[in-house]
Amino acid sequence: MMRSLLFAPGDSDKKMQKASAIGADCVILDLEDSVAAARKPVARGMVREFLQSAPNPAVEFYVRVNPLDSGLILDDIAAIVPAAPTGIVLPKANSPQDLLAVAHFIDVLEAEHGLPAGQIKILPVATETAAAVFSLGEYRHNVPRLSGLTWGAEDLGAAVGASANVDANKEWTQPYLLVRSLCLFAAHAASVQAIDTVMADFRDLEYLEVVCNEARRDGFTGKICIHPAQVEVTNKAFSPSPAELEHAHAVIDLFARNPDAGTLQLDGKMVDRPHLTQAERIIALAKSIEARHGAA
Ligand code: COA
Ligand code: MG
């Protein structure tokens, strides 16, 4: 489970190094919008070399390539697949068909470089075009290499000519709340991670905490970050608290002691099967965090 996914521009060795050592579960090395057109070739080489330096085994490394229609993506993928990143972030994906096209490029390159077939994952930014919104439900049909779904509000806003995507209180406006919800359900329908979008206002850590807690409450399991300061808040929000763990253990014990019961009570509150499912989810999350970072 990737709780925090921190972007670092692919043409900055300093930021790639720093991002890898800050406690983020995933670092996304960027070849798209944070790299100027003239810098793309040098960035490809830097990202490849950086990955080959085997930066940090506790971190999953993804590379955000350029979009399918950019004319740049083949060169991006050819440069970085030999360095075997965990996965590729595909921006401006319109539908699972776009992922299939990218998966075919990767198939060929994995074979050419002796990598296990299907090893490199794809994480689409699945709401950055207007058309993409209507294909979110299709990700549930066994899309190869899919590891998660995330959403974006900046490019989508630009695509529809929106003058803003948040209101005066920094809350998402209606169109982006809709897209956020669709992404959440599409990811769960596809049994992959639901990853919340970036909060661009990276100095406001108090509001970040609120936003992360709301995202986790709703069923998101991680969030994109753009600044190192966001990582700690994000990791904490997407980890089970001691009280949650205690409660989850209590629910599981209760059902274990009453294997034939459908509904039980715990501390004067009804618990039934959905509570057991949720408790098991929380224990699984704690185990996955422990596996990544050693016993907490
Ligand atoms: N990864 C690694 N290090 C980062 C970082 C990032 N994403 N963002 C900032 N830092 C570093 C800075 O280099 C600086 O390091 P230093 O103290 O050793 O000099 C330190 O963290 C503090 O940075 P700060 O001065 O607060 O911000 P900044 O003005 O240097 O950078 C951004 C602001 C937005 C340019 C920067 O956060 C950034 O590049 N973010 C990622 C952008 C990106 O990849 N976008 C694509 C996805 S939307
Ligand atoms: Mg973008």
Side-chain angles (χ1 to χ4, degrees), residues 84-255:
T86 309
I88 279 173
V89 173
L90 182 66
K92 303 178 181 75
N94 287 300
S95 71
Q97 278 68 46
D98 283 4
L99 269 74
L100 281 181
V102 173
H104 289 318
F105 302 151
I106 305 176
D107 288 344
V108 174
L109 289 159
E110 278 177 342
E112 191 179 326
H113 295 280
L115 296 168
Q119 174 181 287
I120 298 174
K121 306 285 176 233
I122 305 179
L123 168 59
V125 190
T127 73
E128 288 188 315
T129 70
V133 176
F134 297 94
S135 64
L136 279 165
E138 293 166 28
Y139 286 100
R140 72 185 190 278
H141 302 302
N142 275 324
V143 179
R145 299 178 185 271
L146 188 71
S147 63
L149 290 180
T150 188
W151 66 287
E154 304 304 329
D155 288 281
L156 183 58
V160 303
S163 58
N165 52 27
V166 289
D167 65 18
N169 301 319
K170 296 197 197 178
E171 311 269 6
W172 295 116
T173 56
Q174 280 300 332
Y176 305 93
L177 285 175
L178 170 74
V179 157
R180 174 184 181 276
S181 299
L182 289 173
C183 175
L184 171 72
F185 292 119
H188 284 278
S191 301
V192 296
Q193 259 203 270
I195 297 166
D196 196 22
T197 194
V198 298
M199 195 178 111
D201 185 357
F202 59 81
R203 302 265 180 243
D204 191 348
L205 297 181
E206 257 173 58
Y207 190 56
L208 178 66
E209 190 181 344
V210 172
V211 166
C212 284
N213 287 336
E214 287 175 355
R216 172 139 189 270
R217 172 201 68 195
D218 292 344
F220 286 94
T221 52
K223 187 172 177 72
I224 308 274
C225 302
I226 48 162
H227 191 282
Q230 295 180 316
V231 169
E232 195 184 335
V233 175
T234 303
N235 280 347
K236 182 163 178 245
F238 288 99
S239 303
S241 68
E244 269 180 302
L245 276 175
E246 197 182 315
H247 181 73
H249 281 298
V251 170
I252 288 169
D253 288 349
L254 187 64
F255 276 96

